[in-house]
Amino acid sequence: MDPRNIPEYRLHRTLSQLNHLEGDQLTDADRKRIEIATALLEETNLLTQPGSGETADTHINS
């Protein structure tokens, strides 16, 4: 099995790509979207790491 096909790898790759975007070439709205996306992906990463030692407090607002 190709290790690039596991969700953890794809999550890491996505976070890495978001963190390497050139912020000075983006609009304020795009920077805000990337900030939100990065925060959500980091929260997801905490939830998917077994034994991370941290408890996740997640809420879904309707």
Side-chain angles (χ1 to χ4, degrees):
M1 182 164 139
D2 187 354
R4 292 175 291 182
N5 288 334
I6 60 173
E8 292 85 4
Y9 176 82
R10 291 190 300 251
L11 180 64
H12 168 75
R13 187 81 176 130
T14 304
L15 274 169
S16 179
Q17 289 174 345
L18 283 174
N19 288 329
H20 285 99
L21 289 173
E22 294 293 328
D24 57 340
Q25 297 176 358
L26 301 171
T27 65
D28 289 339
D30 286 338
R31 276 191 222 105
K32 185 65 177 171
R33 286 184 195 104
I34 290 171
E35 180 183 317
I36 291 168
T38 301
L40 290 171
L41 286 169
E42 287 172 347
E43 286 179 26
T44 301
N45 192 32
L46 288 175
L47 292 174
T48 59
Q49 290 179 356
S52 66
E54 296 183 31
T55 58
D57 184 20
T58 59
H59 301 280
I60 299 174
N61 295 327
S62 315

